[in-house]
Amino acid sequence: MDVEYDVIVLGTGLKECILSGLLSVDRLKVLHMDRNDYYGGDSTSLNLNQLWKRFKGDETPPAQIGASRDYNVDMVPKFMMANGALVRVLIHTGVTKYMSFKAVDGSYVFNKGKIHKVPSTDMEALKSPLMGLFEKRRAGKFFLYVQDYKENDPSTHKGYDLMKLTTKQLISKYGLDDNTIDFIGHAVALHRDDTYLSEPALDTVKRMKLYAESVARFQGGSPYIYPLYGLGELPQGFARLSAVYGGTYMLNKPECKVEFDSEGKVCGVTSEGETAKCKKVVCDPSYLPDKVKKVGKVFRAIAIMSHPIPNTAESHSVQIILPQKQLGRKSDMYVFCCSYSHNVASKGKFIAFVSAQAETDNLQTELKPGINLLGPVDELFFDTYDRYEPTNDSSSDNCYISTSYDATTHFESTVMDVLSLYTKITGKMVDLSVDLSAASAAEDDM
């Protein structure tokens, strides 16, 4: 390995693969290595036999669940916002030509013990059972304000400076009650807790606009899309992209020890006695454990079922957000469901996940509110993993470490981490002003 690389990427998780693809498209010389013999790292996709081996050891899956090869169970399941940053990155890099997507049927919110469809426009607000008659009108006016708002056109601002006005102050001008604020903040703007209420309102308004525009894009019941055969297709799509641009992928490389020079800057990576030289390293927290700190834990349940989640209009794919306030928690809980219609399970089978940031030591009790929504399950697995974030100064050691995946079932926070790392590595922003219709060629069946 006498070649010097601009960047060595360690781990083939989603974040690392997206960064590898972006850097390859920028014509940087990239070497991508993984200690595992499969793509995906923590965000890998498992067939039925692999799922059983991971959670049940030597037991074999029951025959009535279907063939192992029919299953693609994502270990970090997340839907993509149709007009969101990840889809824009996929188009920017051209990965869309390696993948097919399908719209997600439903977007729901848990409110006062029931599941409701999330309204995203003034018309949907008027029909929603989430609110009484007068509240519907007030919410409708607020949705209209958000729909019409254009950051560069002061005539749409109604005199409000959204960089100075907090979200709470803006919402109070429309007289919305706490119940309405709860579903708008958590299920439309996708905030993970209530800190957004005291922050400038512009971010929330932009998030609400993204949600509504994404719903409108495919005229479906939700703003989300998901790859056929699951997220495991993404790392492989980026691996193919990287190869097209001259990047090199090496799986099954044990150890992958990061080497530093006398000034503490990264200078290479050693595996099996050979050292590849490099200027920068990108990796997940497991490759540089002394440069990260634990920031929490994620609890989740994985269910295999023979029916859609009750009260979701028979949706074959759906997200349900359970806002923290509804459960007396400090952060939201998420339910994700996908099925054979996205080619991730055998015919007639559904896979559901319940995930949350751990707030107690009791996994099963903590996830119960989400599990209770699923109805009867054929199989149920419980899983937990620690979350880490970097503590190093990347400008002094040239190590760019991603943050562990959070409990959310959508991609918005994941992509923000990727884009932030890209800017730190290259000193520039990713151009996300792409032609969104470019994704539709690979999405014929939406």
Side-chain angles (χ1 to χ4, degrees):
M1 292 195 192
D2 291 335
V3 191
E4 182 172 16
Y5 293 90
D6 293 310
V7 181
I8 294 180
V9 181
L10 300 176
T12 50
L14 280 168
K15 293 186 184 184
E16 289 69 40
C17 286
I18 297 169
L19 278 166
S20 178
L22 286 169
L23 298 170
S24 297
V25 170
D26 281 353
R27 306 287 179 180
L28 291 179
K29 198 172 182 64
V30 177
L31 170 63
H32 201 143
M33 301 162 75
D34 194 317
R35 62 168 84 88
N36 299 311
D37 58 0
Y38 55 85
Y39 286 109
D42 289 340
S43 51
T44 192
S45 213
L46 305 180
N47 64 31
L48 207 55
N49 289 339
Q50 291 167 328
L51 187 72
W52 245 253
K53 188 177 176 189
R54 177 163 175 166
F55 292 107
K56 297 204 167 184
D58 295 332
E59 285 184 42
T60 50
Q64 66 268 26
I65 288 182
S68 174
R69 66 176 179 278
D70 292 343
Y71 284 81
N72 296 289
V73 183
D74 292 320
M75 288 295 95
V76 182
K78 290 177 188 286
F79 290 133
M80 302 174 195
M81 194 73 91
N83 279 19
L86 180 56
V87 170
R88 290 171 185 273
V89 167
L90 296 181
I91 293 168
H92 171 81
T93 56
V95 166
T96 39
K97 58 177 172 281
Y98 304 125
M99 304 175 68
S100 297
F101 296 90
K102 192 172 177 186
V104 170
D105 296 337
S107 175
Y108 286 77
V109 63
F110 181 77
N111 189 276
K112 295 183 177 168
K114 290 186 178 168
I115 302 173
H116 300 275
K117 186 178 184 307
V118 178
S120 61
T121 65
D122 57 318
M123 296 307 292
E124 286 190 355
L126 290 173
K127 295 181 200 157
S128 175
L130 274 166
M131 300 166 283
L133 181 63
F134 295 111
E135 184 69 3
K136 281 179 182 176
R137 288 181 185 162
R138 290 189 288 267
K141 283 180 184 169
F142 181 57
F143 276 121
L144 262 181
Y145 169 74
V146 170
Q147 276 162 241
D148 294 342
Y149 183 90
K150 293 182 181 67
E151 198 175 350
N152 302 324
D153 181 359
S155 69
T156 65
H157 297 185
K158 298 207 172 159
Y160 304 147
D161 180 349
L162 299 193
M163 284 305 291
K164 290 191 178 146
L165 214 60
T166 66
T167 309
K168 191 167 191 172
Q169 288 168 329
L170 175 66
I171 290 173
S172 70
K173 293 186 184 296
Y174 287 85
L176 303 181
D177 69 26
D178 283 352
N179 197 37
T180 308
I181 295 167
D182 212 28
F183 83 74
I184 287 175
H186 293 263
V188 180
L190 302 180
H191 290 293
R192 287 174 283 172
D193 53 41
D194 280 339
T195 50
Y196 74 95
L197 288 167
S198 54
E199 291 167 353
L202 182 62
D203 178 46
T204 295
V205 167
K206 280 183 171 174
R207 285 165 172 251
M208 289 179 69
K209 284 180 78 67
L210 171 62
Y211 188 101
E213 287 159 8
S214 295
V215 170
R217 173 135 181 246
F218 295 113
Q219 305 296 318
S222 88
Y224 303 110
I225 61 176
Y226 199 65
L228 290 175
Y229 303 101
L231 293 175
E233 296 296 292
L234 263 180
Q236 294 183 53
F238 277 106
R240 288 168 74 178
L241 173 84
S242 189
V244 167
Y245 284 95
T248 307
Y249 264 70
M250 293 183 182
L251 294 179
N252 209 8
K253 297 296 285 181
E255 293 167 4
C256 290
K257 180 173 180 285
V258 181
E259 306 286 358
F260 296 91
D261 64 17
S262 56
E263 292 174 8
K265 286 189 188 299
V266 71
C267 60
V269 174
T270 301
S271 174
E272 297 177 306
E274 285 189 287
T275 301
K277 298 190 203 110
C278 66
K279 301 182 182 82
K280 293 175 179 173
V281 160
V282 172
C283 65
D284 70 47
S286 71
Y287 285 87
L288 284 171
D290 55 338
K291 288 181 182 281
V292 296
K293 66 174 180 188
K294 184 179 164 184
V295 289
K297 186 189 281 268
V298 172
F299 282 164
R300 64 185 168 181
I302 305 168
I304 298 175
M305 315 188 299
S306 300
H307 59 83
I309 295 178
N311 309 309
T312 61
E314 299 293 306
S315 294
H316 279 212
S317 49
V318 66
Q319 174 178 262
I320 308 167
I321 291 181
L322 293 79
Q324 58 175 95
K325 204 179 273 182
Q326 301 295 323
L327 305 177
R329 289 174 50 85
K330 300 187 189 74
S331 58
D332 295 355
M333 188 173 293
Y334 302 87
V335 174
F336 168 108
C337 180
C338 230
S339 69
Y340 62 95
S341 64
H342 272 84
N343 301 349
V344 298
S346 283
K347 184 81 176 157
K349 295 296 178 187
F350 295 74
I351 299 169
F353 286 77
V354 180
S355 59
Q357 178 79 7
E359 295 181 5
T360 66
D361 293 328
N362 195 325
L363 187 157
Q364 297 192 24
T365 306
E366 195 163 331
L367 294 180
K368 200 168 187 304
I371 294 169
N372 286 347
L373 302 177
L374 303 181
V377 302
D378 301 339
E379 297 286 342
L380 188 62
F381 307 96
F382 289 97
D383 191 21
T384 173
Y385 64 89
D386 292 331
R387 289 191 62 232
Y388 296 91
E389 63 182 33
T391 52
N392 66 315
D393 173 9
S394 55
S395 62
S396 65
D397 62 10
N398 290 336
C399 294
Y400 301 87
I401 307 169
S402 61
T403 302
S404 305
Y405 299 95
D406 60 28
T408 61
T409 43
H410 50 77
F411 260 112
E412 297 311 289
S413 52
T414 299
V415 185
M416 290 309 115
D417 187 32
V418 168
L419 296 177
S420 153
L421 282 168
Y422 174 84
T423 300
K424 283 180 185 167
I425 295 162
T426 64
K428 57 185 186 179
M429 309 281 278
V430 179
D431 178 14
L432 295 180
S433 57
V434 294
D435 173 12
L436 283 164
S437 66
S440 61
E443 295 157 14
D444 292 332
D445 51 351
M446 284 191 165

Short mmCIF file of all heavy atoms in Angstrom, two decimals, residues 223-267:
data_model
loop_
_atom_site.label_atom_id
_atom_site.label_comp_id
_atom_site.label_asym_id
_atom_site.label_seq_id
_atom_site.Cartn_x
_atom_site.Cartn_y
_atom_site.Cartn_z
N PRO A 223 -45.00 12.16 3.78
CA PRO A 223 -43.92 12.86 3.06
C PRO A 223 -42.72 11.96 2.80
O PRO A 223 -41.71 12.42 2.30
CB PRO A 223 -43.53 13.96 4.04
CG PRO A 223 -43.75 13.34 5.39
CD PRO A 223 -44.94 12.41 5.24
N TYR A 224 -42.83 10.67 3.16
CA TYR A 224 -41.64 9.81 3.18
C TYR A 224 -41.57 8.87 1.99
O TYR A 224 -42.59 8.47 1.42
CB TYR A 224 -41.62 8.98 4.46
CG TYR A 224 -41.66 9.80 5.71
CD1 TYR A 224 -42.79 9.81 6.53
CD2 TYR A 224 -40.57 10.61 6.08
CE1 TYR A 224 -42.83 10.59 7.68
CE2 TYR A 224 -40.61 11.38 7.22
CZ TYR A 224 -41.74 11.37 8.02
OH TYR A 224 -41.78 12.14 9.15
N ILE A 225 -40.33 8.48 1.63
CA ILE A 225 -40.10 7.41 0.67
C ILE A 225 -39.11 6.43 1.30
O ILE A 225 -38.46 6.75 2.30
CB ILE A 225 -39.56 7.93 -0.69
CG1 ILE A 225 -38.20 8.64 -0.50
CG2 ILE A 225 -40.56 8.84 -1.36
CD1 ILE A 225 -37.55 9.10 -1.81
N TYR A 226 -39.02 5.24 0.70
CA TYR A 226 -38.16 4.20 1.26
C TYR A 226 -37.69 3.32 0.12
O TYR A 226 -38.44 3.05 -0.81
CB TYR A 226 -38.96 3.37 2.27
CG TYR A 226 -38.12 2.57 3.23
CD1 TYR A 226 -37.28 3.21 4.15
CD2 TYR A 226 -38.17 1.17 3.24
CE1 TYR A 226 -36.52 2.48 5.03
CE2 TYR A 226 -37.40 0.44 4.14
CZ TYR A 226 -36.59 1.10 5.03
OH TYR A 226 -35.83 0.39 5.91
N PRO A 227 -36.42 2.87 0.14
CA PRO A 227 -35.93 2.05 -0.97
C PRO A 227 -36.60 0.67 -0.99
O PRO A 227 -36.84 0.07 0.06
CB PRO A 227 -34.43 1.88 -0.69
CG PRO A 227 -34.11 2.82 0.42
CD PRO A 227 -35.37 3.10 1.16
N LEU A 228 -36.90 0.18 -2.19
CA LEU A 228 -37.29 -1.23 -2.31
C LEU A 228 -36.10 -2.07 -1.86
O LEU A 228 -34.95 -1.74 -2.16
CB LEU A 228 -37.63 -1.55 -3.77
CG LEU A 228 -38.92 -0.91 -4.29
CD1 LEU A 228 -39.09 -1.21 -5.78
CD2 LEU A 228 -40.14 -1.40 -3.52
N TYR A 229 -36.36 -3.12 -1.12
CA TYR A 229 -35.34 -4.00 -0.51
C TYR A 229 -34.63 -3.35 0.67
O TYR A 229 -33.65 -3.87 1.19
CB TYR A 229 -34.31 -4.49 -1.55
CG TYR A 229 -34.94 -5.20 -2.71
CD1 TYR A 229 -35.14 -4.56 -3.92
CD2 TYR A 229 -35.39 -6.52 -2.57
CE1 TYR A 229 -35.77 -5.21 -4.98
CE2 TYR A 229 -36.01 -7.18 -3.62
CZ TYR A 229 -36.20 -6.52 -4.83
OH TYR A 229 -36.83 -7.16 -5.87
N GLY A 230 -35.12 -2.18 1.14
CA GLY A 230 -34.60 -1.62 2.39
C GLY A 230 -33.33 -0.79 2.23
O GLY A 230 -32.79 -0.62 1.14
N LEU A 231 -32.85 -0.30 3.36
CA LEU A 231 -31.72 0.63 3.37
C LEU A 231 -30.39 -0.03 3.05
O LEU A 231 -29.42 0.65 2.76
CB LEU A 231 -31.61 1.33 4.73
CG LEU A 231 -32.75 2.28 5.07
CD1 LEU A 231 -32.58 2.79 6.48
CD2 LEU A 231 -32.81 3.43 4.09
N GLY A 232 -30.34 -1.37 3.11
CA GLY A 232 -29.10 -2.06 2.79
C GLY A 232 -28.65 -1.76 1.37
O GLY A 232 -27.47 -1.92 1.03
N GLU A 233 -29.60 -1.30 0.54
CA GLU A 233 -29.25 -0.94 -0.84
C GLU A 233 -28.39 0.32 -0.90
O GLU A 233 -27.63 0.53 -1.84
CB GLU A 233 -30.53 -0.70 -1.66
CG GLU A 233 -31.40 -1.94 -1.82
CD GLU A 233 -30.70 -3.02 -2.63
OE1 GLU A 233 -30.49 -2.82 -3.83
OE2 GLU A 233 -30.36 -4.07 -2.04
N LEU A 234 -28.53 1.19 0.11
CA LEU A 234 -27.82 2.48 0.08
C LEU A 234 -26.30 2.34 0.14
O LEU A 234 -25.61 2.88 -0.72
CB LEU A 234 -28.30 3.38 1.24
CG LEU A 234 -29.38 4.41 0.92
CD1 LEU A 234 -29.72 5.18 2.18
CD2 LEU A 234 -28.93 5.37 -0.16
N PRO A 235 -25.74 1.66 1.16
CA PRO A 235 -24.28 1.53 1.20
C PRO A 235 -23.74 0.90 -0.08
O PRO A 235 -22.70 1.32 -0.60
CB PRO A 235 -24.03 0.62 2.40
CG PRO A 235 -25.21 0.78 3.27
CD PRO A 235 -26.36 1.03 2.34
N GLN A 236 -24.47 -0.08 -0.62
CA GLN A 236 -23.98 -0.74 -1.84
C GLN A 236 -24.04 0.20 -3.04
O GLN A 236 -23.17 0.19 -3.90
CB GLN A 236 -24.77 -2.01 -2.08
CG GLN A 236 -24.51 -3.04 -0.98
CD GLN A 236 -25.22 -4.35 -1.20
OE1 GLN A 236 -25.09 -4.95 -2.25
NE2 GLN A 236 -25.96 -4.80 -0.21
N GLY A 237 -25.09 1.04 -3.07
CA GLY A 237 -25.18 2.04 -4.14
C GLY A 237 -24.02 3.00 -4.09
O GLY A 237 -23.41 3.34 -5.12
N PHE A 238 -23.66 3.43 -2.88
CA PHE A 238 -22.53 4.37 -2.73
C PHE A 238 -21.20 3.67 -3.02
O PHE A 238 -20.27 4.30 -3.51
CB PHE A 238 -22.53 5.00 -1.34
CG PHE A 238 -23.45 6.19 -1.24
CD1 PHE A 238 -24.65 6.10 -0.56
CD2 PHE A 238 -23.12 7.38 -1.87
CE1 PHE A 238 -25.50 7.19 -0.51
CE2 PHE A 238 -23.97 8.47 -1.81
CZ PHE A 238 -25.17 8.38 -1.14
N ALA A 239 -21.11 2.38 -2.71
CA ALA A 239 -19.88 1.64 -3.03
C ALA A 239 -19.69 1.60 -4.55
O ALA A 239 -18.58 1.80 -5.06
CB ALA A 239 -19.96 0.22 -2.46
N ARG A 240 -20.79 1.37 -5.27
CA ARG A 240 -20.71 1.34 -6.74
C ARG A 240 -20.32 2.72 -7.27
O ARG A 240 -19.51 2.85 -8.18
CB ARG A 240 -22.06 0.92 -7.32
CG ARG A 240 -22.34 -0.55 -7.08
CD ARG A 240 -23.77 -0.91 -7.40
NE ARG A 240 -24.03 -0.96 -8.84
CZ ARG A 240 -25.22 -1.29 -9.35
NH1 ARG A 240 -26.22 -1.61 -8.54
NH2 ARG A 240 -25.39 -1.31 -10.66
N LEU A 241 -20.92 3.75 -6.68
CA LEU A 241 -20.61 5.12 -7.10
C LEU A 241 -19.13 5.43 -6.90
O LEU A 241 -18.44 5.96 -7.77
CB LEU A 241 -21.45 6.10 -6.28
CG LEU A 241 -21.11 7.56 -6.50
CD1 LEU A 241 -21.85 8.09 -7.72
CD2 LEU A 241 -21.45 8.41 -5.30
N SER A 242 -18.63 5.08 -5.71
CA SER A 242 -17.23 5.34 -5.37
C SER A 242 -16.30 4.65 -6.38
O SER A 242 -15.32 5.23 -6.84
CB SER A 242 -16.95 4.84 -3.95
OG SER A 242 -15.69 5.25 -3.51
N ALA A 243 -16.67 3.41 -6.73
CA ALA A 243 -15.84 2.66 -7.69
C ALA A 243 -15.81 3.36 -9.06
O ALA A 243 -14.77 3.41 -9.72
CB ALA A 243 -16.38 1.24 -7.83
N VAL A 244 -16.96 3.91 -9.46
CA VAL A 244 -17.03 4.62 -10.74
C VAL A 244 -16.04 5.79 -10.76
O VAL A 244 -15.42 6.10 -11.77
CB VAL A 244 -18.47 5.14 -10.98
CG1 VAL A 244 -18.52 6.14 -12.13
CG2 VAL A 244 -19.40 3.97 -11.26
N TYR A 245 -15.88 6.45 -9.59
CA TYR A 245 -14.99 7.61 -9.51
C TYR A 245 -13.57 7.23 -9.08
O TYR A 245 -12.77 8.08 -8.70
CB TYR A 245 -15.56 8.65 -8.53
CG TYR A 245 -16.71 9.42 -9.13
CD1 TYR A 245 -18.03 9.02 -8.91
CD2 TYR A 245 -16.49 10.54 -9.94
CE1 TYR A 245 -19.09 9.72 -9.48
CE2 TYR A 245 -17.54 11.24 -10.50
CZ TYR A 245 -18.84 10.82 -10.27
OH TYR A 245 -19.87 11.52 -10.84
N GLY A 246 -13.26 5.93 -9.08
CA GLY A 246 -11.90 5.50 -8.78
C GLY A 246 -11.62 5.24 -7.32
O GLY A 246 -10.48 5.01 -6.93
N GLY A 247 -12.65 5.25 -6.48
CA GLY A 247 -12.46 4.92 -5.06
C GLY A 247 -12.25 3.42 -4.90
O GLY A 247 -12.60 2.62 -5.76
N THR A 248 -11.63 3.03 -3.79
CA THR A 248 -11.34 1.61 -3.55
C THR A 248 -12.06 1.15 -2.28
O THR A 248 -11.98 1.81 -1.24
CB THR A 248 -9.82 1.40 -3.34
OG1 THR A 248 -9.14 1.99 -4.45
CG2 THR A 248 -9.47 -0.07 -3.24
N TYR A 249 -12.76 0.03 -2.36
CA TYR A 249 -13.45 -0.55 -1.20
C TYR A 249 -12.75 -1.83 -0.78
O TYR A 249 -12.41 -2.66 -1.63
CB TYR A 249 -14.90 -0.88 -1.55
CG TYR A 249 -15.89 0.20 -1.17
CD1 TYR A 249 -15.92 1.41 -1.84
CD2 TYR A 249 -16.80 0.01 -0.12
CE1 TYR A 249 -16.82 2.40 -1.50
CE2 TYR A 249 -17.70 0.99 0.23
CZ TYR A 249 -17.72 2.18 -0.46
OH TYR A 249 -18.61 3.15 -0.10
N MET A 250 -12.54 -2.01 0.53
CA MET A 250 -11.97 -3.26 1.05
C MET A 250 -12.76 -3.70 2.27
O MET A 250 -12.74 -3.02 3.30
CB MET A 250 -10.51 -3.05 1.46
CG MET A 250 -9.56 -2.75 0.32
SD MET A 250 -7.86 -2.62 0.96
CE MET A 250 -6.97 -2.20 -0.53
N LEU A 251 -13.48 -4.80 2.15
CA LEU A 251 -14.20 -5.36 3.30
C LEU A 251 -13.30 -6.40 3.99
O LEU A 251 -12.27 -6.80 3.46
CB LEU A 251 -15.48 -6.05 2.84
CG LEU A 251 -16.57 -5.14 2.24
CD1 LEU A 251 -17.76 -5.98 1.81
CD2 LEU A 251 -17.02 -4.10 3.25
N ASN A 252 -13.74 -6.79 5.22
CA ASN A 252 -13.04 -7.87 5.94
C ASN A 252 -11.58 -7.53 6.22
O ASN A 252 -10.70 -8.38 6.08
CB ASN A 252 -13.15 -9.17 5.13
CG ASN A 252 -13.12 -10.39 6.04
OD1 ASN A 252 -13.17 -10.25 7.27
ND2 ASN A 252 -13.03 -11.56 5.46
N LYS A 253 -11.32 -6.28 6.59
CA LYS A 253 -9.95 -5.85 6.93
C LYS A 253 -9.85 -5.75 8.47
O LYS A 253 -10.37 -4.81 9.06
CB LYS A 253 -9.62 -4.49 6.32
CG LYS A 253 -9.64 -4.47 4.79
CD LYS A 253 -8.58 -5.35 4.18
CE LYS A 253 -7.20 -4.73 4.27
NZ LYS A 253 -6.19 -5.61 3.63
N PRO A 254 -9.23 -6.73 9.12
CA PRO A 254 -9.21 -6.73 10.59
C PRO A 254 -8.43 -5.55 11.17
O PRO A 254 -7.56 -4.97 10.52
CB PRO A 254 -8.54 -8.06 10.93
CG PRO A 254 -7.80 -8.46 9.71
CD PRO A 254 -8.53 -7.87 8.53
N GLU A 255 -8.79 -5.19 12.39
CA GLU A 255 -8.11 -4.17 13.20
C GLU A 255 -8.28 -2.74 12.67
O GLU A 255 -8.86 -1.91 13.34
CB GLU A 255 -6.61 -4.49 13.38
CG GLU A 255 -6.39 -5.73 14.22
CD GLU A 255 -4.95 -6.24 14.16
OE1 GLU A 255 -4.09 -5.59 13.53
OE2 GLU A 255 -4.70 -7.30 14.74
N CYS A 256 -7.77 -2.43 11.49
CA CYS A 256 -7.86 -1.05 10.97
C CYS A 256 -7.40 -0.04 12.03
O CYS A 256 -8.18 0.75 12.55
CB CYS A 256 -9.28 -0.71 10.52
SG CYS A 256 -9.81 -1.58 9.05
N LYS A 257 -6.10 -0.10 12.36
CA LYS A 257 -5.55 0.78 13.40
C LYS A 257 -5.15 2.12 12.78
O LYS A 257 -4.41 2.18 11.80
CB LYS A 257 -4.31 0.11 14.01
CG LYS A 257 -3.64 0.91 15.11
CD LYS A 257 -2.53 0.08 15.77
CE LYS A 257 -1.84 0.88 16.87
NZ LYS A 257 -0.93 1.89 16.33
N VAL A 258 -5.69 3.19 13.35
CA VAL A 258 -5.38 4.53 12.83
C VAL A 258 -4.02 4.97 13.38
O VAL A 258 -3.75 4.88 14.58
CB VAL A 258 -6.47 5.55 13.26
CG1 VAL A 258 -6.17 6.93 12.69
CG2 VAL A 258 -7.85 5.06 12.78
N GLU A 259 -3.13 5.42 12.49
CA GLU A 259 -1.77 5.83 12.87
C GLU A 259 -1.66 7.36 12.90
O GLU A 259 -2.26 8.04 12.06
CB GLU A 259 -0.75 5.29 11.85
CG GLU A 259 -0.82 3.79 11.61
CD GLU A 259 -0.25 2.98 12.77
OE1 GLU A 259 0.24 3.60 13.74
OE2 GLU A 259 -0.30 1.73 12.70
N PHE A 260 -0.87 7.87 13.88
CA PHE A 260 -0.69 9.32 14.02
C PHE A 260 0.79 9.69 13.93
O PHE A 260 1.65 8.89 14.32
CB PHE A 260 -1.27 9.80 15.35
CG PHE A 260 -2.76 9.60 15.46
CD1 PHE A 260 -3.28 8.43 15.99
CD2 PHE A 260 -3.64 10.57 15.00
CE1 PHE A 260 -4.65 8.21 16.06
CE2 PHE A 260 -5.01 10.38 15.07
CZ PHE A 260 -5.52 9.20 15.60
N ASP A 261 1.07 10.90 13.45
CA ASP A 261 2.47 11.35 13.41
C ASP A 261 2.83 12.01 14.74
O ASP A 261 2.03 12.04 15.68
CB ASP A 261 2.71 12.29 12.22
CG ASP A 261 1.92 13.59 12.30
OD1 ASP A 261 1.43 13.93 13.42
OD2 ASP A 261 1.80 14.29 11.28
N SER A 262 4.04 12.56 14.82
CA SER A 262 4.55 13.12 16.09
C SER A 262 3.72 14.33 16.55
O SER A 262 3.73 14.69 17.72
CB SER A 262 6.02 13.52 15.93
OG SER A 262 6.15 14.42 14.84
N GLU A 263 2.99 14.97 15.63
CA GLU A 263 2.17 16.14 16.00
C GLU A 263 0.74 15.75 16.36
O GLU A 263 -0.11 16.61 16.61
CB GLU A 263 2.15 17.15 14.84
CG GLU A 263 3.50 17.80 14.59
CD GLU A 263 3.46 18.68 13.34
OE1 GLU A 263 2.37 18.89 12.78
OE2 GLU A 263 4.54 19.14 12.92
N GLY A 264 0.47 14.45 16.35
CA GLY A 264 -0.89 14.00 16.69
C GLY A 264 -1.86 14.04 15.53
O GLY A 264 -3.07 13.86 15.70
N LYS A 265 -1.33 14.26 14.31
CA LYS A 265 -2.21 14.26 13.13
C LYS A 265 -2.23 12.86 12.51
O LYS A 265 -1.23 12.16 12.52
CB LYS A 265 -1.70 15.25 12.07
CG LYS A 265 -1.94 16.71 12.42
CD LYS A 265 -1.60 17.60 11.22
CE LYS A 265 -1.62 19.07 11.58
NZ LYS A 265 -2.91 19.54 12.06
N VAL A 266 -3.39 12.48 11.98
CA VAL A 266 -3.50 11.17 11.36
C VAL A 266 -2.57 11.09 10.15
O VAL A 266 -2.40 12.06 9.42
CB VAL A 266 -4.98 10.89 10.97
CG1 VAL A 266 -5.42 11.74 9.78
CG2 VAL A 266 -5.19 9.43 10.65
N CYS A 267 -1.93 9.94 9.97
CA CYS A 267 -1.03 9.80 8.81
C CYS A 267 -1.26 8.50 8.04
O CYS A 267 -0.68 8.29 6.99
CB CYS A 267 0.44 9.90 9.24
SG CYS A 267 0.94 8.64 10.44
#
